[in-house]
Amino acid sequence: MSNSAALDSFLDKWRSRWPEWRVAEAFVPPAQRELAVAWFALLQEFEDAMNIAGDPTPADAKLGWWGEELRDWSRRRSRHPLGRVLEPRHAPWFELAEGLPALVRLRERPHDMMSAFAAVQPLAEAMVAVEDGVLDRAGKSESPVLRAQAIACQLLASRLFAAGDGAVPQEAAERPGAGQAWAQVLLAQWPPHAGEATPRRLWAALARSRLQRFEPGAQGVRPLSNLRLLWLAWRTARA
């Protein structure tokens, strides 16, 4: 497979996970579109390692490989196809590599809400710092705490989608409707306007919308009509 075809396969894999992006992407500046999808595709690789089912050994090995790859990106060397797009961006790739072990801890059921956010916070902060470099966000010092909190909520929501009630903190796990209640907690903690770059703001809005429509069990996430999707993307882009 050529480098171009390999890159396209990773970008297309992310787009298949987020078909809503076909509408939302129209509101992203053209110069940022490939960068944004490459960055989000990288984050999806990390989420997949976090949400592994069964034997975690292959996922742990993959995270270890990614740690070395990101450290190489900080030295302007890359092997992965996504590095073609991302590695030239000036960003703290080494610090992101140091935060990846948090994904292993996030597979475990947290004790309470505070411990859930404490586990994910260092990784979320590293992602904020990298995103500033990747997406050339103006006013980079604006709301870094809120932006990290928003990313933390999105990661915890991803864990809830994958693990269901298994992602609910211990203190609430035995209550009826625990998964739905935890979704509501995450929505309450999720800052809707955290000063993100437009691509992240749009992706976060799509993720929040999924969480709002989340129904534990077989139903999963209720579908969103194309009209509502267009309205959501337009309103988010204008924020």
Side-chain angles (χ1 to χ4, degrees):
M1 182 181 293
S2 68
N3 287 336
S4 179
L7 173 63
D8 288 344
S9 71
F10 280 96
L11 302 184
D12 290 344
K13 181 170 72 170
W14 183 83
R15 290 188 180 100
S16 71
R17 303 280 188 91
W18 291 88
E20 305 99 314
W21 192 252
R22 72 189 189 281
V23 173
E25 189 175 42
F27 298 95
V28 176
Q32 287 189 326
R33 289 176 185 174
E34 185 181 54
L35 272 172
V37 175
W39 169 235
F40 297 157
L42 176 65
L43 298 184
Q44 187 67 62
E45 293 295 304
F46 300 158
E47 287 186 26
D48 288 349
M50 173 180 67
N51 292 326
I52 191 70
D55 182 8
T57 304
D60 291 347
K62 186 175 183 180
L63 281 178
W65 185 91
W66 270 117
E68 291 304 312
E69 177 73 357
L70 292 175
R71 292 181 183 94
D72 281 345
W73 289 11
S74 70
R75 296 186 285 264
R76 294 294 180 262
R77 297 198 300 266
S78 63
R79 292 167 290 173
H80 196 278
L82 291 173
R84 283 185 49 214
V85 179
L86 296 173
E87 177 261 301
R89 312 300 295 183
H90 183 67
W93 299 112
F94 185 92
E95 288 76 4
L96 180 58
E98 294 294 294
L100 293 184
L103 296 165
V104 176
R105 296 191 293 273
L106 288 170
R107 297 176 195 152
E108 303 171 359
R109 185 194 296 275
H111 175 70
D112 53 23
M113 182 187 77
M114 291 185 64
S115 61
F117 278 92
V120 73
Q121 194 68 20
L123 178 58
E125 291 173 356
M127 289 179 176
V128 165
V130 171
E131 203 159 278
D132 281 343
V134 169
L135 299 180
D136 287 330
R137 192 176 120 346
K140 294 178 181 180
S141 63
E142 180 186 354
S143 307
V145 174
L146 288 180
R147 291 165 58 214
Q149 184 173 338
I151 289 178
C153 288
Q154 188 165 340
L155 284 167
L156 292 172
S158 171
R159 185 65 190 143
L160 176 62
F161 293 147
D165 287 353
V168 178
Q170 292 176 1
E171 65 174 13
E174 301 302 323
R175 300 174 188 171
Q180 190 65 50
W182 181 232
Q184 294 305 310
V185 169
L186 294 178
L187 286 168
Q189 294 296 318
W190 197 327
H193 302 292
E196 305 103 327
T198 299
R200 163 63 71 174
R201 191 164 67 249
L202 286 164
W203 189 28
L206 298 178
R208 277 178 57 87
S209 176
R210 284 190 180 186
L211 190 58
Q212 290 166 341
R213 293 175 284 117
F214 175 65
E215 296 179 349
Q219 292 183 332
V221 178
R222 298 192 309 276
L224 183 68
S225 71
N226 286 335
L227 184 59
R228 287 184 178 274
L229 172 57
L230 180 61
W231 169 251
L232 174 64
W234 177 79
R235 185 180 60 188
T236 300
R238 291 184 68 240

PDB file of all heavy atoms in Angstrom, residues 43-65:
ATOM      1  N   LEU A  43      -6.460  10.396  17.494  1.00  0.00           N
ATOM      2  CA  LEU A  43      -7.130  10.253  18.785  1.00  0.00           C
ATOM      3  C   LEU A  43      -8.040   9.029  18.808  1.00  0.00           C
ATOM      4  O   LEU A  43      -8.195   8.378  19.852  1.00  0.00           O
ATOM      5  CB  LEU A  43      -7.936  11.522  19.095  1.00  0.00           C
ATOM      6  CG  LEU A  43      -7.126  12.811  19.229  1.00  0.00           C
ATOM      7  CD1 LEU A  43      -8.032  13.967  19.646  1.00  0.00           C
ATOM      8  CD2 LEU A  43      -5.988  12.641  20.219  1.00  0.00           C
ATOM      9  N   GLN A  44      -8.627   8.692  17.652  1.00  0.00           N
ATOM     10  CA  GLN A  44      -9.465   7.489  17.591  1.00  0.00           C
ATOM     11  C   GLN A  44      -8.633   6.237  17.804  1.00  0.00           C
ATOM     12  O   GLN A  44      -9.094   5.269  18.431  1.00  0.00           O
ATOM     13  CB  GLN A  44     -10.172   7.415  16.236  1.00  0.00           C
ATOM     14  CG  GLN A  44     -11.197   6.300  16.135  1.00  0.00           C
ATOM     15  CD  GLN A  44     -12.387   6.529  17.052  1.00  0.00           C
ATOM     16  OE1 GLN A  44     -13.106   7.524  16.897  1.00  0.00           O
ATOM     17  NE2 GLN A  44     -12.601   5.644  18.017  1.00  0.00           N
ATOM     18  N   GLU A  45      -7.399   6.226  17.304  1.00  0.00           N
ATOM     19  CA  GLU A  45      -6.511   5.090  17.558  1.00  0.00           C
ATOM     20  C   GLU A  45      -6.294   4.916  19.055  1.00  0.00           C
ATOM     21  O   GLU A  45      -6.283   3.786  19.573  1.00  0.00           O
ATOM     22  CB  GLU A  45      -5.168   5.306  16.849  1.00  0.00           C
ATOM     23  CG  GLU A  45      -5.234   5.282  15.337  1.00  0.00           C
ATOM     24  CD  GLU A  45      -5.633   3.920  14.802  1.00  0.00           C
ATOM     25  OE1 GLU A  45      -4.951   2.937  15.127  1.00  0.00           O
ATOM     26  OE2 GLU A  45      -6.634   3.854  14.062  1.00  0.00           O
ATOM     27  N   PHE A  46      -6.132   6.015  19.764  1.00  0.00           N
ATOM     28  CA  PHE A  46      -5.950   5.941  21.211  1.00  0.00           C
ATOM     29  C   PHE A  46      -7.218   5.446  21.899  1.00  0.00           C
ATOM     30  O   PHE A  46      -7.163   4.616  22.813  1.00  0.00           O
ATOM     31  CB  PHE A  46      -5.566   7.310  21.767  1.00  0.00           C
ATOM     32  CG  PHE A  46      -4.296   7.881  21.205  1.00  0.00           C
ATOM     33  CD1 PHE A  46      -4.044   9.244  21.250  1.00  0.00           C
ATOM     34  CD2 PHE A  46      -3.337   7.059  20.618  1.00  0.00           C
ATOM     35  CE1 PHE A  46      -2.869   9.776  20.741  1.00  0.00           C
ATOM     36  CE2 PHE A  46      -2.156   7.581  20.103  1.00  0.00           C
ATOM     37  CZ  PHE A  46      -1.940   8.943  20.156  1.00  0.00           C
ATOM     38  N   GLU A  47      -8.375   5.967  21.470  1.00  0.00           N
ATOM     39  CA  GLU A  47      -9.637   5.539  22.078  1.00  0.00           C
ATOM     40  C   GLU A  47      -9.873   4.041  21.848  1.00  0.00           C
ATOM     41  O   GLU A  47     -10.393   3.350  22.725  1.00  0.00           O
ATOM     42  CB  GLU A  47     -10.799   6.354  21.512  1.00  0.00           C
ATOM     43  CG  GLU A  47     -10.845   7.777  22.004  1.00  0.00           C
ATOM     44  CD  GLU A  47     -12.090   8.506  21.539  1.00  0.00           C
ATOM     45  OE1 GLU A  47     -13.109   7.828  21.273  1.00  0.00           O
ATOM     46  OE2 GLU A  47     -12.055   9.750  21.443  1.00  0.00           O
ATOM     47  N   ASP A  48      -9.518   3.557  20.669  1.00  0.00           N
ATOM     48  CA  ASP A  48      -9.684   2.128  20.394  1.00  0.00           C
ATOM     49  C   ASP A  48      -8.847   1.288  21.353  1.00  0.00           C
ATOM     50  O   ASP A  48      -9.287   0.215  21.797  1.00  0.00           O
ATOM     51  CB  ASP A  48      -9.295   1.817  18.948  1.00  0.00           C
ATOM     52  CG  ASP A  48     -10.318   2.336  17.947  1.00  0.00           C
ATOM     53  OD1 ASP A  48     -11.412   2.748  18.364  1.00  0.00           O
ATOM     54  OD2 ASP A  48     -10.003   2.327  16.742  1.00  0.00           O
ATOM     55  N   ALA A  49      -7.649   1.766  21.669  1.00  0.00           N
ATOM     56  CA  ALA A  49      -6.811   1.045  22.630  1.00  0.00           C
ATOM     57  C   ALA A  49      -7.409   1.105  24.031  1.00  0.00           C
ATOM     58  O   ALA A  49      -7.295   0.148  24.804  1.00  0.00           O
ATOM     59  CB  ALA A  49      -5.401   1.615  22.625  1.00  0.00           C
ATOM     60  N   MET A  50      -8.037   2.215  24.364  1.00  0.00           N
ATOM     61  CA  MET A  50      -8.697   2.338  25.666  1.00  0.00           C
ATOM     62  C   MET A  50      -9.897   1.403  25.764  1.00  0.00           C
ATOM     63  O   MET A  50     -10.132   0.787  26.811  1.00  0.00           O
ATOM     64  CB  MET A  50      -9.162   3.786  25.878  1.00  0.00           C
ATOM     65  CG  MET A  50     -10.014   4.001  27.120  1.00  0.00           C
ATOM     66  SD  MET A  50     -10.550   5.727  27.324  1.00  0.00           S
ATOM     67  CE  MET A  50     -11.680   5.945  25.923  1.00  0.00           C
ATOM     68  N   ASN A  51     -10.637   1.283  24.688  1.00  0.00           N
ATOM     69  CA  ASN A  51     -11.902   0.553  24.711  1.00  0.00           C
ATOM     70  C   ASN A  51     -11.785  -0.893  24.252  1.00  0.00           C
ATOM     71  O   ASN A  51     -12.774  -1.503  23.854  1.00  0.00           O
ATOM     72  CB  ASN A  51     -12.926   1.287  23.838  1.00  0.00           C
ATOM     73  CG  ASN A  51     -13.325   2.621  24.441  1.00  0.00           C
ATOM     74  OD1 ASN A  51     -13.396   2.764  25.658  1.00  0.00           O
ATOM     75  ND2 ASN A  51     -13.585   3.605  23.596  1.00  0.00           N
ATOM     76  N   ILE A  52     -10.596  -1.448  24.326  1.00  0.00           N
ATOM     77  CA  ILE A  52     -10.380  -2.812  23.876  1.00  0.00           C
ATOM     78  C   ILE A  52     -11.225  -3.779  24.691  1.00  0.00           C
ATOM     79  O   ILE A  52     -11.411  -3.614  25.896  1.00  0.00           O
ATOM     80  CB  ILE A  52      -8.878  -3.186  23.980  1.00  0.00           C
ATOM     81  CG1 ILE A  52      -8.585  -4.495  23.267  1.00  0.00           C
ATOM     82  CG2 ILE A  52      -8.432  -3.242  25.430  1.00  0.00           C
ATOM     83  CD1 ILE A  52      -8.678  -4.444  21.785  1.00  0.00           C
ATOM     84  N   ALA A  53     -11.762  -4.783  24.021  1.00  0.00           N
ATOM     85  CA  ALA A  53     -12.510  -5.846  24.700  1.00  0.00           C
ATOM     86  C   ALA A  53     -11.653  -7.109  24.699  1.00  0.00           C
ATOM     87  O   ALA A  53     -10.995  -7.420  23.711  1.00  0.00           O
ATOM     88  CB  ALA A  53     -13.836  -6.105  23.991  1.00  0.00           C
ATOM     89  N   GLY A  54     -11.666  -7.833  25.809  1.00  0.00           N
ATOM     90  CA  GLY A  54     -10.886  -9.064  25.885  1.00  0.00           C
ATOM     91  C   GLY A  54      -9.460  -8.800  26.333  1.00  0.00           C
ATOM     92  O   GLY A  54      -9.180  -7.884  27.107  1.00  0.00           O
ATOM     93  N   ASP A  55      -8.551  -9.600  25.824  1.00  0.00           N
ATOM     94  CA  ASP A  55      -7.145  -9.527  26.215  1.00  0.00           C
ATOM     95  C   ASP A  55      -6.564  -8.149  25.854  1.00  0.00           C
ATOM     96  O   ASP A  55      -6.537  -7.770  24.683  1.00  0.00           O
ATOM     97  CB  ASP A  55      -6.365 -10.628  25.489  1.00  0.00           C
ATOM     98  CG  ASP A  55      -4.891 -10.646  25.875  1.00  0.00           C
ATOM     99  OD1 ASP A  55      -4.501  -9.922  26.807  1.00  0.00           O
ATOM    100  OD2 ASP A  55      -4.134 -11.408  25.237  1.00  0.00           O
ATOM    101  N   PRO A  56      -6.086  -7.387  26.846  1.00  0.00           N
ATOM    102  CA  PRO A  56      -5.575  -6.050  26.553  1.00  0.00           C
ATOM    103  C   PRO A  56      -4.138  -6.031  26.044  1.00  0.00           C
ATOM    104  O   PRO A  56      -3.634  -4.965  25.684  1.00  0.00           O
ATOM    105  CB  PRO A  56      -5.657  -5.352  27.913  1.00  0.00           C
ATOM    106  CG  PRO A  56      -5.430  -6.452  28.898  1.00  0.00           C
ATOM    107  CD  PRO A  56      -6.091  -7.682  28.297  1.00  0.00           C
ATOM    108  N   THR A  57      -3.472  -7.194  26.015  1.00  0.00           N
ATOM    109  CA  THR A  57      -2.048  -7.212  25.667  1.00  0.00           C
ATOM    110  C   THR A  57      -1.753  -6.569  24.310  1.00  0.00           C
ATOM    111  O   THR A  57      -0.840  -5.739  24.199  1.00  0.00           O
ATOM    112  CB  THR A  57      -1.505  -8.650  25.706  1.00  0.00           C
ATOM    113  OG1 THR A  57      -1.752  -9.216  27.003  1.00  0.00           O
ATOM    114  CG2 THR A  57      -0.023  -8.674  25.421  1.00  0.00           C
ATOM    115  N   PRO A  58      -2.503  -6.918  23.233  1.00  0.00           N
ATOM    116  CA  PRO A  58      -2.201  -6.259  21.942  1.00  0.00           C
ATOM    117  C   PRO A  58      -2.410  -4.742  21.989  1.00  0.00           C
ATOM    118  O   PRO A  58      -1.624  -3.998  21.401  1.00  0.00           O
ATOM    119  CB  PRO A  58      -3.183  -6.932  20.975  1.00  0.00           C
ATOM    120  CG  PRO A  58      -3.520  -8.240  21.614  1.00  0.00           C
ATOM    121  CD  PRO A  58      -3.524  -7.972  23.083  1.00  0.00           C
ATOM    122  N   ALA A  59      -3.459  -4.308  22.685  1.00  0.00           N
ATOM    123  CA  ALA A  59      -3.714  -2.867  22.778  1.00  0.00           C
ATOM    124  C   ALA A  59      -2.626  -2.169  23.576  1.00  0.00           C
ATOM    125  O   ALA A  59      -2.208  -1.057  23.233  1.00  0.00           O
ATOM    126  CB  ALA A  59      -5.078  -2.612  23.412  1.00  0.00           C
ATOM    127  N   ASP A  60      -2.146  -2.817  24.638  1.00  0.00           N
ATOM    128  CA  ASP A  60      -1.066  -2.226  25.430  1.00  0.00           C
ATOM    129  C   ASP A  60       0.205  -2.113  24.596  1.00  0.00           C
ATOM    130  O   ASP A  60       0.935  -1.116  24.676  1.00  0.00           O
ATOM    131  CB  ASP A  60      -0.800  -3.068  26.676  1.00  0.00           C
ATOM    132  CG  ASP A  60      -1.946  -2.999  27.683  1.00  0.00           C
ATOM    133  OD1 ASP A  60      -2.814  -2.118  27.525  1.00  0.00           O
ATOM    134  OD2 ASP A  60      -1.971  -3.833  28.602  1.00  0.00           O
ATOM    135  N   ALA A  61       0.479  -3.144  23.795  1.00  0.00           N
ATOM    136  CA  ALA A  61       1.651  -3.094  22.920  1.00  0.00           C
ATOM    137  C   ALA A  61       1.502  -1.971  21.892  1.00  0.00           C
ATOM    138  O   ALA A  61       2.481  -1.270  21.573  1.00  0.00           O
ATOM    139  CB  ALA A  61       1.841  -4.436  22.225  1.00  0.00           C
ATOM    140  N   LYS A  62       0.297  -1.797  21.391  1.00  0.00           N
ATOM    141  CA  LYS A  62       0.052  -0.731  20.412  1.00  0.00           C
ATOM    142  C   LYS A  62       0.268   0.639  21.039  1.00  0.00           C
ATOM    143  O   LYS A  62       0.868   1.536  20.421  1.00  0.00           O
ATOM    144  CB  LYS A  62      -1.366  -0.851  19.869  1.00  0.00           C
ATOM    145  CG  LYS A  62      -1.689   0.117  18.737  1.00  0.00           C
ATOM    146  CD  LYS A  62      -3.068  -0.155  18.181  1.00  0.00           C
ATOM    147  CE  LYS A  62      -3.381   0.748  16.990  1.00  0.00           C
ATOM    148  NZ  LYS A  62      -4.728   0.494  16.438  1.00  0.00           N
ATOM    149  N   LEU A  63      -0.204   0.816  22.276  1.00  0.00           N
ATOM    150  CA  LEU A  63       0.014   2.084  22.955  1.00  0.00           C
ATOM    151  C   LEU A  63       1.507   2.334  23.176  1.00  0.00           C
ATOM    152  O   LEU A  63       1.983   3.464  23.064  1.00  0.00           O
ATOM    153  CB  LEU A  63      -0.725   2.111  24.293  1.00  0.00           C
ATOM    154  CG  LEU A  63      -2.226   2.399  24.249  1.00  0.00           C
ATOM    155  CD1 LEU A  63      -2.807   2.344  25.653  1.00  0.00           C
ATOM    156  CD2 LEU A  63      -2.499   3.767  23.617  1.00  0.00           C
ATOM    157  N   GLY A  64       2.235   1.263  23.530  1.00  0.00           N
ATOM    158  CA  GLY A  64       3.679   1.404  23.689  1.00  0.00           C
ATOM    159  C   GLY A  64       4.339   1.836  22.392  1.00  0.00           C
ATOM    160  O   GLY A  64       5.240   2.696  22.390  1.00  0.00           O
ATOM    161  N   TRP A  65       3.890   1.245  21.276  1.00  0.00           N
ATOM    162  CA  TRP A  65       4.430   1.632  19.969  1.00  0.00           C
ATOM    163  C   TRP A  65       4.117   3.093  19.677  1.00  0.00           C
ATOM    164  O   TRP A  65       4.989   3.835  19.211  1.00  0.00           O
ATOM    165  CB  TRP A  65       3.855   0.741  18.877  1.00  0.00           C
ATOM    166  CG  TRP A  65       4.460   1.016  17.532  1.00  0.00           C
ATOM    167  CD1 TRP A  65       5.551   0.428  16.976  1.00  0.00           C
ATOM    168  CD2 TRP A  65       3.999   1.995  16.574  1.00  0.00           C
ATOM    169  NE1 TRP A  65       5.807   0.968  15.741  1.00  0.00           N
ATOM    170  CE2 TRP A  65       4.885   1.924  15.460  1.00  0.00           C
ATOM    171  CE3 TRP A  65       2.943   2.915  16.552  1.00  0.00           C
ATOM    172  CZ2 TRP A  65       4.726   2.739  14.340  1.00  0.00           C
ATOM    173  CZ3 TRP A  65       2.798   3.736  15.436  1.00  0.00           C
ATOM    174  CH2 TRP A  65       3.669   3.635  14.350  1.00  0.00           C
TER     175      TRP A  65
END
